[in-house]
Amino acid sequence: MKQFGKILNFELKNYMKNKAFVGVTIFLVVIIAVVMFLPRIISLIETDDGGVEPGDLPTLLVKAEDPTQAEMVQEVFSAAFTDYNVKVTDEDVAYIKEQITTGNADGAFVMTGPTSYTYYVNNLSMYDANEAIANEVLQRIYQMNAMIGGGMTPEQAGEVMNIQITSQVEMLGKNQMQNFFYTYIMIFALYMVILLYGQMVAMNVATEKSSRAMEVLITSAKPISMMFGKVLASCIAGLTQLIAIFGSALLFFNMNKAYWGGNEIIDSIFNIPPELLGYMLVFFLLGFLIYAFLYGAIASTVSKLEDINTAVQPVTYLFLFGFMVVMFSMSSGEVDNLLMQVCSYIPFTSPMAMFTRVAMSTVPWYEIALSIGILLGSTVGIGFLAAKIYRLGVLMYGNAPKLGAIIKAVWRV
């Protein structure tokens, strides 16, 4: 235990002294601060400018061929296009086109009949929804006029057109849309941390071996202490970085909560249920540890640093397989499909698959307990196996040994 504590302390100090590690953490915290304070900054700028006056809004021209409809068209279009200053014009189409091309107007609707028009715009944005809004408005006007012509009073027609539908949703399971964001963030955080810190563990082990420092260390410390010390140090460093990033995001969000205007997506991200947060931490930590042990064990069998990427490719592909299964299942909305259920009990995929099912579906408690139990036992087992491979890898130089040779050597130990 004393050896383990020294190794853990030594590896942690190396991470905290790493300029890249500290720099990336500070950079991400600053970026998050800017994003979280952005609504407050925008609000201050708009307040200083005295707010947005109607004259500052972009102009939307409307021309009605029937002069008797001009007043009604302006009224309904002004109510529908609240982001524009709607103006009725009697000028010809050539003048309207000139106003648009010179930038004096953003667009124009030239009504050619009760249910037909031409929409003039300079550069049609891929997000331009003006045509859809106009179609809906004109359809409502036509329906109302038809009801009035059929004998209804304008008030009766207005009541029919503005009828409000009331509904209530009672969830017996999980809200997939709300929990989607928790799951998405956790999966990508696990993806980034495993690839980043797993590679760092592999690089540290391979560097020690290539410099022959591993041979000296292995004579003064037990392989289990060294392997567990290195992996747990990387886990603590990664968790510290994530706490700094997500903790600062939570702090800055609470400081600017009033300025986000009740944004449902942002609110759902920062209002994660405690139960789900607990599952997230369990699956995150165990998932990271099992892959870090694998990266460290494989790196101990490599003699040259340039061979690391090739050696760890099978582990990386294994993780990417689980990642892709989860992403495709989430995008389809079917997180309880057969492949996801199988992956929920495979230690290399269960941290992502089971957590996704817990967050976005209803999973019996005994299935969750079984998945965590298998994952926990596999993590400890792979940790001891990685320590044995680490011990054997000290004396392996030259070409990287084949998997069969490693298994045979470990079996003899």
Side-chain angles (χ1 to χ4, degrees):
M1 183 61 72
K2 186 176 181 180
Q3 291 178 348
F4 167 76
K6 288 182 178 180
I7 294 170
L8 178 65
N9 185 51
F10 175 77
E11 295 290 339
L12 275 176
K13 285 183 178 179
N14 285 340
Y15 279 109
M16 299 308 166
K17 292 178 181 178
N18 189 310
K19 293 181 179 179
F21 175 84
V22 176
V24 169
T25 304
I26 295 174
F27 174 76
L28 292 175
V29 170
V30 171
I31 293 297
I32 289 173
V34 172
V35 173
M36 291 292 103
F37 276 92
L38 192 59
R40 182 191 289 263
I41 296 172
I42 294 175
S43 176
L44 291 174
I45 293 174
E46 291 180 350
T47 302
D48 292 341
D49 292 341
V52 179
E53 298 295 331
D56 297 331
L57 295 173
T59 300
L60 182 66
L61 299 176
V62 177
K63 176 179 173 63
E65 295 292 341
D66 185 357
T68 59
Q69 295 182 345
E71 184 177 347
M72 181 182 65
V73 168
Q74 183 182 24
E75 181 180 350
V76 295
F77 270 65
S78 296
F81 294 94
T82 56
D83 294 333
Y84 290 92
N85 182 21
V86 180
K87 293 183 178 180
V88 174
T89 179
D90 295 328
E91 303 292 341
D92 57 15
V93 173
Y95 173 82
I96 292 174
K97 290 181 179 179
E98 181 184 357
Q99 291 296 301
I100 295 173
T101 55
T102 56
N104 293 326
D106 267 23
F109 288 95
V110 177
M111 314 300 300
T112 57
T115 58
S116 60
Y117 64 87
T118 300
Y119 176 45
Y120 294 94
V121 63
N122 193 22
N123 297 311
L124 184 62
S125 169
M126 61 187 296
Y127 303 108
D128 193 323
N130 290 345
E131 189 176 357
I133 296 174
N135 290 343
E136 183 179 353
V137 168
L138 292 177
Q139 186 179 33
R140 289 174 62 86
I141 293 175
Y142 182 82
Q143 292 171 345
M144 182 172 290
N145 288 336
M147 286 187 287
I148 293 174
M152 284 189 178
T153 64
E155 291 76 14
Q156 291 173 328
E159 289 179 3
V160 173
M161 294 301 297
N162 295 316
I163 187 69
Q164 298 294 321
I165 306 298
T166 59
S167 64
Q168 184 176 355
V169 177
E170 183 175 346
M171 289 185 298
L172 303 179
K174 301 289 181 65
N175 185 339
Q176 284 197 355
M177 181 55 68
Q178 183 182 27
N179 292 356
F180 176 86
F181 300 106
Y182 310 144
T183 312
Y184 193 82
I185 290 173
M186 185 271 184
I187 298 302
F188 264 95
L190 185 60
Y191 175 83
M192 296 300 296
V193 169
I194 283 180
L195 292 186
L196 175 62
Y197 286 95
Q199 289 283 354
M200 290 179 69
V201 171
M203 287 293 294
N204 289 341
V205 172
T207 301
E208 289 177 357
K209 182 174 180 179
S210 63
S211 65
R212 301 280 179 160
M214 187 185 292
E215 295 179 9
V216 177
L217 292 172
I218 204 72
T219 60
S220 58
K222 294 180 179 180
I224 291 179
S225 298
M226 294 186 64
M227 178 57 70
F228 276 77
K230 288 178 179 296
V231 170
L232 289 177
S234 65
C235 180
I236 294 173
L239 192 60
T240 301
Q241 190 175 54
L242 290 178
I243 290 174
I245 294 170
F246 289 108
S248 62
L250 179 61
L251 173 63
F252 297 143
F253 170 72
N254 287 327
M255 292 173 63
N256 300 277
K257 192 172 184 178
Y259 294 89
W260 278 96
N263 187 297
E264 293 184 3
I265 295 178
I266 299 297
D267 284 343
S268 67
I269 292 174
F270 290 103
N271 291 325
I272 181 171
E275 178 186 3
L276 195 57
L277 179 61
Y279 283 127
M280 179 186 293
L281 291 175
V282 169
F283 283 111
F284 183 89
L285 291 174
L286 293 177
F288 172 81
L289 288 174
I290 199 169
Y291 276 97
F293 282 130
L294 289 175
Y295 274 112
I298 292 174
S300 67
T301 65
V302 176
S303 301
K304 296 181 291 185
L305 290 176
E306 53 268 26
D307 293 335
I308 287 181
N309 290 333
T310 304
V312 300
Q313 273 184 357
V315 178
T316 303
Y317 291 150
L318 181 62
F319 176 75
L320 288 177
F321 168 76
F323 177 79
M324 296 304 296
V325 168
V326 170
M327 286 293 105
F328 283 126
S329 299
M330 288 177 62
S331 61
S332 68
E334 297 292 334
V335 296
D336 274 329
N337 59 65
L338 180 60
L339 186 56
M340 281 286 284
Q341 292 183 32
V342 173
C343 289
S344 297
Y345 303 103
I346 300 175
F348 306 110
T349 56
S350 62
M352 295 176 290
M354 181 54 83
F355 175 77
T356 301
R357 291 182 61 208
V358 170
M360 301 180 66
S361 180
T362 302
V363 184
W365 67 267
Y366 54 85
E367 291 188 16
I368 301 174
L370 178 60
S371 177
I372 293 176
I374 294 174
L375 180 58
L376 179 60
S378 301
T379 302
V380 175
I382 289 176
F384 281 97
L385 179 63
K388 286 187 176 183
I389 296 175
Y390 180 86
R391 178 183 176 185
L392 295 171
V394 175
L395 303 177
M396 291 181 178
Y397 289 95
N399 295 328
K402 295 182 179 180
L403 179 61
I406 296 175
I407 294 175
K408 289 180 180 178
V410 171
W411 185 260
R412 296 193 194 102
V413 176

